[in-house]
Amino acid sequence: MLVLVAAKPRPPEPRRIALRVDAGVSVAPDFERIAAWAKRRGIEVETGPEGAAVPKGFETAHLSTLPAPEGLAAQLARFPVALEDHGFLFDARTYTGEDAAIVLVDPARPREVFVLGNTSAAVVALAAQRLFRREGNPPDYEVVSGELTKEGRFLARDGRLAIDRASDRDRIAAREQFFDDLKREKRGAQVWEVRDADRAAAAPWEKLSGRFAGKRAFTVRVYPDAVTKALYTGSSRPADLVAEQGRIRVELDASAPASPDLVSPVFAAAALAAASPALAERPTLLLAAGARRVGTWWGREVRGFAAFARAAGAEPSVEEVVKSSEEVSPVLAIGAAAAWLDAGARLDGDAAAEKALLEKAPGLAAQLDRWREAALRQSVKPPPRRPLPEGFLCGVSYAMTNAIDGSYVSPRSLETLKRLRGLSADSISVMPFAFARNAKAERISFVHASPRGETDEGTLRAVSDARSLGMTAMVKPQIWLGGSAFVGDIAMPDDDGWRRWFAAYRRFIVHHAVVAEAAGAALFCAGTELAGTEAREKEWRDTFAAVRLATGAPLLYAANWAANAPKIMFWDALDAIGVDFYDPLGKTEKLSDAALEEGARRAARPVAELARRAGKPVVFTEAGYPPVRGAWIAPHDEDSGRPPSGEDAARAIAAVGRALGRESWWKGVYWWKVFSDGGPARPGERGFNLLGTPAEKAIADVFAKAP
């Protein structure tokens, strides 16, 4: 008898990439960070100067700014591109912008990649995207100009390469076609630019804009959705005000959520700027004046916004508002300034409040100081506090893909949420990130303008989309430290340093609490894994009090592992105990299911006992296992070097569900993680992406059995 035995599939060979970098390109620090990220996913990166020998078995990527060195230019002679000193010509279009770059690959030599661009930043960004983020069968050529791309394949013809027209996908040309299709139509004093296909979507906004029509015209340009607007303008906000040569235009996303109303303030500001174009030189104050006319900003009444910001310890200064500082929260700055102007209108009249905006800086600052003092006399009303959602929270940590097509504002994100709903997930965790240079830095940068980052409108759309599917959402702002350092190591040298750090942190966290409240978030996590700060108990209690002025959602703090949660002394100031549960379940690779269950009970015992003492439920604000052999040994570590094993990650998830599923103190879990573009995990990947892995079914089973 012949017995056929299927051969065990061999794991994919690890990728190895040799970067050959021209002197005009600086790969530090951004590319080094990305390369470190790639290494954690099993990609080895070796860097050397252009012309250096390439080790055997390595792919090669040549990185160069223009003009390209002579030797590299000779290698590119077979490609249909003309290189110039300050740009390049490709397919009859010249690219000279600082954000322009091109990838070129000969299909006969797919392991050699050329990346050229007009600036080092453009080259590094495109190289990172191509080498580490593109999956499947990437195109032979890709041109990037701003947020737009042109890509396709080459054909060999007479010893050279030519564009395969059937494969060409040209978003740059599509943008030009979009603007050609816009039709200008006058509506009273306003001019609308809208395509025929978008008329129905634009109609409600036309009616709304009529409330703010003045004697001087402004233009409204309509985009069908946030992705199109982001690709063509660089912003995914519901509406933006643009001033060009004294003319005022509103860039409008016709799909913008009706609540909170972030469009009317821009229409009102546009009417003011159309009458006085010089106001556009002070964009924060201009939008504040628009919000003052409407009466609300991010779902809060304008009149009390300044008093709220002061009480929360997150008030912007007059100087920051007048200068429209890009580092200051636009939510807090515009809202507070709108309250100042509201007080000015009540004290001195509407005309005086608007006339003051055109004064020179010293006179304007004096007026705003006086009006601010009046605005601060308003009472502060925190939003009504809400209880925790009923039942067990079957949650997924919902990370944003840093690409516009797959971001929180995209249709792909909504489709991903529908998939999660099909797994019986009923909640997501939305995670906007801030950045600090290192563990000693007092400055926290959190204002995201690029639609590739976790913007406020992205948080709003993700929460709104989840709610439309009957799901709840937790907003969980986090800090990313430079060099991929651990956020728990944040520490200041003295009390003054701590005072400044907590002042910066309050601005960051209150900003996101306002956004979360406006979006309708069901939970808010006011801090994550900040172990080095937790001894500053008074400062944390003050921070929680400030956050409660911004949102009525139940508050949590995410401790770094269950073992560390009992060390924290401020749980009584919160509504639930949050834990990022990455505690090991065992020490060896070979463990039975029963041993894993016992390991889960043992790992969770510190928070089980804490919950009983504190009288608070526990939510695993994160929990996850990398798809590697013995995933339970070091659940936080995807860089362990252990071979891939999606089955072990799934076994660990199932063990936690069986061990803790009937515990009354366990209120919910957010499994780490799924990306907003819905992309599945790659074969052999060691990252935490759940989709397309055995872990996906495991969490569905845990959710199906949830109390």
Side-chain angles (χ1 to χ4, degrees), residues 351-617:
E354 292 177 2
K355 182 181 178 181
L357 300 180
L358 295 170
E359 290 187 15
K360 293 183 178 180
L364 172 60
Q367 284 280 46
L368 292 177
D369 270 328
R370 183 167 67 90
W371 294 341
R372 178 178 62 173
E373 292 307 309
L376 293 175
R377 291 195 286 270
Q378 295 291 318
S379 60
V380 179
K381 280 188 175 182
R385 288 171 67 167
R386 303 186 291 277
L388 287 162
E390 294 182 2
F392 187 85
L393 290 162
C394 299
V396 173
S397 295
Y398 195 56
M400 199 190 93
T401 303
N402 295 118
I404 292 172
D405 281 348
S407 68
Y408 284 154
V409 303
S410 70
R412 287 172 66 182
S413 175
L414 179 58
E415 292 305 310
T416 304
L417 292 174
K418 290 178 181 177
R419 178 171 178 176
L420 296 181
R421 196 72 182 102
L423 299 176
S424 297
D426 61 18
S427 193
I428 60 169
S429 173
V430 178
M431 296 164 289
F433 274 86
F435 177 79
R437 184 166 45 85
N438 55 48
K440 304 296 183 184
E442 299 168 0
R443 180 180 173 186
I444 301 173
S445 299
F446 62 90
V447 179
H448 291 280
S450 169
R452 292 181 180 273
E454 295 95 351
T455 59
D456 301 330
E457 59 272 15
T459 296
L460 173 62
R461 192 71 68 116
V463 174
S464 299
D465 283 348
R467 294 177 65 199
S468 74
L469 299 173
M471 305 171 76
T472 62
M474 173 173 68
V475 174
K476 189 174 187 272
Q478 302 189 49
I479 298 175
W480 181 276
L481 290 187
S484 298
F486 175 45
V487 72
D489 291 335
I490 288 176
M492 300 298 114
D494 52 37
D495 286 346
D496 284 343
W498 280 117
R499 177 180 54 77
R500 290 188 292 269
W501 187 87
F502 271 99
Y505 188 82
R506 272 196 308 275
R507 283 193 173 192
F508 157 64
I509 205 68
V510 169
H511 165 102
H512 284 294
V514 172
V515 173
E517 180 70 11
L523 302 97
F524 189 81
C525 187
T528 296
E529 300 183 3
L530 293 161
T533 74
E534 290 164 0
R536 313 293 297 193
E537 184 179 344
K538 180 182 183 303
E539 287 92 334
W540 271 113
R541 290 180 181 276
D542 290 345
T543 299
F544 300 144
V547 171
R548 290 207 188 272
L549 296 176
T551 179
L555 298 191
L556 303 85
Y557 175 90
N560 182 43
W561 301 13
N564 294 319
K567 302 173 186 177
I568 296 171
M569 304 306 295
F570 46 64
W571 293 120
D572 60 296
L574 299 162
D575 299 295
I577 296 166
V579 175
D580 284 0
F581 185 70
Y582 293 104
D583 302 71
L585 309 186
K587 296 181 180 180
T588 61
E589 290 185 0
K590 293 184 178 181
L591 289 178
S592 67
D593 288 348
L596 287 175
E597 288 180 41
E598 177 55 33
R601 282 188 285 270
R602 182 178 58 253
R605 193 165 294 135
V607 287
E609 295 172 355
L610 174 62
R612 286 189 280 271
R613 291 196 305 271
K616 307 277 184 181

Side-chain angles (χ1 to χ4, degrees), residues 672-695:
W672 184 264
K673 62 186 171 176
V674 167
F675 291 94
S676 57
D677 66 354
R682 297 185 300 272
E685 182 180 341
R686 292 184 175 87
F688 283 85
N689 187 357
L690 295 166
L691 295 184
T693 72

Side-chain angles (χ1 to χ4, degrees), residues 62 72-83 89-91 102-110 112-116 140-142 153-155 159-163:
H62 303 271
L72 186 59
Q75 297 182 65
L76 296 168
R78 64 189 184 277
F79 292 99
V81 63
L83 304 181
L89 175 68
F90 186 77
D91 199 17
I102 187 170
V103 163
L104 299 166
V105 180
D106 185 337
R109 301 164 67 177
E112 185 172 38
V113 177
F114 298 88
V115 187
L116 302 101
D140 298 335
Y141 63 85
E142 181 175 7
R153 303 209 169 277
F154 288 129
L155 295 171
R160 287 178 56 84
L161 297 171
I163 292 172

